[in-house]
């Protein structure tokens, strides 16, 4: 009974405060789904309240979907929305929003660069020149590894020709890269480790392989090494998946120290590292210096995956991976079994785009434009949400990861629904955890699809909703 103890605030109705307290206990699993709540008389005596107050609190719990009453038996707790049910609702939201209607909402969920910055003129010129140069040859299937000149160009531009270009495999984006590697490496009941939280697309792939997934909390400079070591001591691990820069969703970037320590652990415990190099081009803080874990990899332990879709043209779906030579044949076979070849025309266009240095100018433009949005959104959060959320500015990337403060009683799923009604879309943190009862205090907001005017309006709406929730649930605003 002690968990039901509550210090009431005389400014607010007691039944509302009791409702909010019990709802919070259910959300946090301190009252389990299906657990019987105290009888009306029992709780009234314990809290020294009249029975009408308890009855009204229970009625509100039932009305909000947090409790069921069974005649002759009592009232039972109910988790209002399972993660599976929410994910379905989340997906339906975007299916119903055609591209035309998306312009009517403030979309803080976007993870690709805005169409406003697409290098359409340069790409059009490159495509015409490729077709003039190569004719029908540009449209036929390529070598399974990908267009040879593109692999040479990637080796030249990003690796200073330190790789063998035959070790580079062209894929249709990072998601396909993760899928191909998983099919090549991971079997049923293999043990893999992911960050906590982590990219939902990777979680889905690993679950589809029926792997045993271990989660390790992420700290300000990378994964918790001590927690990782405990898992390694007790389990034979096949691989560890992580994002080296501006991790999705936590926004954390790895320190060089943790990169080096992870490589030592990989060698010591004989596991491989899947490095998803996510948005490392978009660095706004000069104190953040880029160096991939693959560049530290002396023992061929890192499988490196990079997508051009996030920061170039999402529609072209091109990326690449570099894997240890021991897996080269199996990864190539996995690619063939997934699809025969990535678009030949787009591979040739991307190679020419890089060769003409258009790529460098485009990245410079994106860094200028997105730093403006990043700085603006950071200031808006600090000025308008400072009492309602906690966060660490990432210094790059395309989003912020916010934690609801204790004064806010609703979770991020409820916040999603309330904001959706007002034309604002966010991504609740539950999307990024293995277990459904985690991540409910977190949500992600991105600025890739929103200009400063929409950012201002969206943050104002979030601020208004969170302020109202704080008032309703018995926590006065300061």
């Amino acid at each position: 009974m002690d968990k039901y103890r509550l210090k009431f605030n005389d400014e607010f109705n007691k039944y509302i405060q009791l409702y909010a307290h019990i709802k919070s206990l259910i959300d946090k699993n301190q009252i389990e789904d299906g657990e019987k709540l105290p009888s009306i008389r029992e709780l009234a005596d314990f809290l020294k309240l009249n029975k009408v107050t308890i009855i009204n609190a229970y009625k509100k719990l039932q009305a909000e979907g947090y409790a069921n009453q069974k005649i002759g038996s009592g009232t039972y707790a109910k988790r209002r929305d399972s993660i599976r049910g929410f994910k379905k609702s989340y997906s339906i939201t975007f299916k119903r929003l055609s591209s035309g209607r998306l312009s009517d909402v403030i979309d803080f969920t976007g993870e690709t660069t805005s169409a406003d910055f697409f290098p359409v003129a340069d790409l059009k010129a490159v495509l015409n020149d490729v077709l003039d140069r190569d004719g029908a040859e540009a449209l036929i299937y390529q070598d399974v590894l990908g267009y040879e000149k593109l692999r040479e160009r990637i080796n030249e531009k990003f690796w200073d020709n330190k790789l063998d270009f035959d070790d580079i495999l062209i894929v249709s984006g990072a998601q396909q890269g993760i899928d191909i590697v998983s099919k090549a490496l991971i079997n049923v009941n293999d043990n893999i480790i992911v960050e906590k939280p982590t990219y939902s697309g990777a979680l889905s792939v690993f679950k589809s392989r029926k792997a045993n997934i271990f989660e390790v909390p992420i700290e300000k400079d990378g994964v918790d090494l001590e927690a990782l070591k405990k898992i390694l001591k007790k389990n034979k691990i096949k691989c560890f998946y992580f994002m080296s820069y501006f991790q999705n969703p936590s926004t954390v970037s790895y320190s060089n120290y943790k990169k080096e320590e992870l490589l030592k652990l990989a060698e010591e415990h004989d596991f491989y590292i899947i490095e998803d190099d996510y948005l490392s081009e978009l660095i706004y803080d000069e104190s953040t210096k880029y160096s991939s874990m693959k560049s530290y990899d002396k023992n061929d332990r890192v499988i490196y995956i990079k997508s051009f879709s996030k920061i170039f043209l999402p529609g072209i779906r091109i990326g690449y991976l570099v894997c240890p030579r021991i897996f080269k044949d199996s990864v190539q076979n996995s690619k063939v079994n997934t699809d025969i070849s990535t678009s030949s025309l787009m591979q040739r266009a991307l190679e020419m785009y890089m060769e003409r240095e258009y790529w460098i100018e485009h990245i410079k433009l994106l860094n200028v434009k997105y730093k403006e949005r990043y700085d603006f959104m950071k200031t808006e959060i600090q000025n308008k949400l400072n009492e309602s959320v906690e966060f660490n500015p990432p210094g790059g990337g395309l989003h912020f990861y916010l934690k609801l403060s204790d004064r806010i009683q609703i979770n991020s799923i409820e916040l999603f629904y309330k904001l959706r009604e007002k034309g604002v879309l966010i991504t609740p943190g539950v999307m990024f955890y293995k277990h459904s009862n985690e991540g409910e205090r977190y949500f992600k907001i991105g600025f890739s699809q929103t200009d400063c005017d929409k950012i201002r309006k969206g943050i104002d709406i979030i601020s208004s909703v969170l302020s109202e929730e704080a008032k309703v649930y018995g926590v006065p605003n300061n």
Side-chain angles (χ1 to χ4, degrees):
M1 284 292 289
D2 197 56
K3 61 188 174 186
Y4 291 95
R5 194 180 304 279
L6 176 63
K7 185 176 181 180
F8 291 97
N9 187 323
D10 291 337
E11 289 186 50
F12 302 96
N13 197 306
K14 289 183 179 179
Y15 91 87
I16 290 288
Q17 295 179 66
L18 178 57
Y19 152 78
H21 178 64
I22 295 176
K23 182 181 78 69
S24 177
L25 292 175
I26 295 171
D27 285 336
K28 296 174 182 177
N29 268 354
Q30 293 175 9
I31 297 177
E32 295 183 0
D33 187 25
E35 181 179 333
K36 186 176 181 180
L37 301 180
S39 70
I40 293 170
R41 177 181 296 176
E42 185 181 15
L43 192 54
D45 290 344
F46 178 73
L47 295 176
K48 295 181 173 52
L49 296 172
N50 63 56
K51 293 179 184 178
V52 173
T53 300
I54 309 301
I55 291 170
N56 287 337
Y58 279 10
K59 282 184 177 178
K60 186 166 178 61
L61 286 167
Q62 293 170 44
E64 296 290 332
Y66 280 95
N68 285 326
Q69 185 181 35
K70 298 180 181 179
I71 303 300
S73 178
T75 303
Y76 293 81
K78 176 186 174 184
R79 284 184 66 81
R80 194 191 74 170
D81 199 347
S82 69
I83 183 61
R84 182 175 297 179
F86 171 72
K87 284 185 176 180
K88 183 178 180 180
S89 176
Y90 184 83
S91 176
I92 289 172
T93 294
F94 293 94
K95 288 179 180 178
R96 288 178 176 173
L97 285 172
S98 64
S99 58
R101 289 187 63 195
L102 269 174
S103 61
D104 297 330
V105 303
I106 297 173
D107 181 14
F108 285 148
T109 68
E111 295 188 6
T112 57
T113 53
S114 171
D116 295 341
F117 307 138
F118 284 176
V120 176
D122 289 341
L123 182 63
K124 182 178 179 181
V126 164
L127 284 170
N128 288 334
D129 289 346
V130 166
L131 289 170
D132 287 343
R133 182 191 69 188
D134 299 340
E137 183 76 14
L139 304 175
I140 65 173
Y141 285 134
Q142 295 299 314
D143 183 288
V144 65
L145 294 179
Y147 181 46
E148 183 174 315
K149 286 187 177 180
L150 176 58
R151 288 182 281 127
E152 290 175 346
R153 195 69 62 196
I154 288 170
N155 193 21
E156 172 196 348
K157 297 294 184 182
F158 302 112
W159 297 95
D160 294 326
N161 290 316
K162 293 177 181 178
L163 299 176
D164 183 338
F165 78 92
D166 281 341
D167 293 334
I168 298 172
L169 174 65
I170 303 299
V171 294
S172 300
Q175 184 68 33
Q176 187 189 69
I178 296 168
D179 184 62
I180 286 170
V181 169
S182 296
K183 289 176 179 176
L185 271 68
I186 300 172
N187 299 310
V188 175
N189 290 328
D190 277 347
N191 297 325
I192 68 167
I193 297 176
V194 299
E195 300 159 309
K196 180 181 179 180
T198 192
Y199 169 49
S200 58
L203 269 180
S204 297
V205 170
F206 300 143
K207 286 179 180 178
S208 74
R209 300 300 298 166
K210 294 181 168 52
N212 300 317
I213 302 172
F214 293 85
E215 294 178 303
V216 180
I218 195 165
E219 301 176 322
K220 290 184 178 180
D221 65 339
V223 74
D224 182 338
L225 292 177
E226 293 307 312
L228 178 64
K229 290 175 183 177
K230 289 179 181 178
I231 294 174
L232 293 173
K233 286 180 180 179
K234 296 180 179 180
N235 303 276
K236 174 60 179 174
I237 300 299
K238 176 65 73 72
C239 61
F240 166 59
Y241 168 80
F242 86 112
M243 291 180 157
S244 44
Y245 284 84
F246 315 121
Q247 193 252 14
N248 185 9
S250 72
T251 73
V252 166
S253 295
Y254 275 66
S255 65
N256 291 340
Y257 167 75
K258 287 206 169 173
K259 292 173 190 172
E260 293 170 346
E261 289 300 303
L262 281 167
L263 285 170
K264 291 177 185 177
L265 289 171
E267 188 67 14
E268 179 182 347
H269 293 274
D270 190 25
F271 66 90
Y272 290 86
I273 298 171
I274 302 173
E275 178 181 12
D276 187 348
D277 188 355
Y278 176 73
L279 295 180
S280 59
E281 292 83 0
L282 300 180
I283 297 175
Y284 317 130
D285 186 339
E286 293 182 358
S287 66
T288 301
K289 305 298 181 184
Y290 174 73
S291 58
S292 67
M293 183 177 286
K294 185 65 179 175
S295 65
Y296 290 80
D297 183 22
K298 297 178 181 178
N299 296 308
D300 214 18
R301 286 281 171 186
V302 177
I303 302 146
Y304 176 89
I305 299 174
K306 181 67 185 177
S307 174
F308 296 111
S309 302
K310 296 289 186 188
I311 51 175
F312 184 41
L313 291 174
I316 71 170
R317 303 302 302 160
I318 292 181
Y320 72 96
L321 64 83
V322 181
C323 74
R325 297 202 170 199
I326 190 173
F327 298 125
K328 185 174 179 180
D329 289 341
S330 59
V331 169
Q332 289 177 15
N333 289 336
S334 178
K335 164 65 173 172
V336 171
N337 291 333
T338 301
D339 64 23
I340 296 174
S341 179
T342 300
S343 169
S344 172
L345 176 60
M346 287 305 175
Q347 287 188 64
R348 291 167 184 261
L350 181 57
E351 185 278 326
M352 184 177 287
Y353 192 85
M354 291 179 178
E355 189 271 335
R356 293 181 176 178
E357 305 291 351
Y358 291 161
W359 172 260
I360 294 175
E361 294 305 313
H362 182 56
I363 294 301
K364 287 180 181 178
L365 171 68
L366 291 181
N367 271 275
V368 170
K369 295 296 184 181
Y370 280 124
K371 186 178 187 303
E372 291 175 1
R373 294 186 182 184
Y374 168 85
D375 288 338
F376 187 81
M377 179 174 271
K378 182 176 72 170
T379 300
E380 288 289 290
I381 294 170
Q382 290 171 335
N383 290 343
K384 298 175 180 178
L385 303 180
N386 65 315
E387 294 181 357
S388 300
V389 304
E390 304 166 13
F391 77 108
N392 291 311
L398 291 173
H399 70 270
F400 292 86
Y401 197 51
L402 311 179
K403 181 181 181 181
L404 293 168
S405 66
D406 291 340
R407 72 193 296 271
I408 305 300
Q409 296 300 307
I410 62 170
N411 61 42
S412 59
I413 291 178
E414 294 169 299
L415 180 62
F416 170 83
Y417 287 125
K418 289 178 181 294
L419 290 174
R420 187 177 66 176
E421 292 175 2
K422 298 179 180 295
V424 176
L425 300 177
I426 62 168
T427 306
V430 295
M431 304 292 288
F432 308 104
Y433 292 80
K434 177 183 173 184
H435 299 291
S436 61
N437 62 338
E438 297 182 274
E440 292 183 336
R441 303 301 297 170
Y442 294 86
F443 65 100
K444 187 176 83 168
I445 55 173
F447 48 86
S448 67
Q449 303 299 320
T450 50
D451 57 24
C452 289
D453 184 52
K454 282 193 171 183
I455 290 171
R456 180 188 296 108
K457 292 177 182 177
I459 298 298
D460 282 342
I461 292 171
I462 294 174
S463 175
S464 174
V465 169
L466 292 179
S467 295
E468 283 301 313
E469 291 304 322
K471 291 176 184 177
V472 166
Y473 296 127
V475 184
N477 286 325
N478 292 331

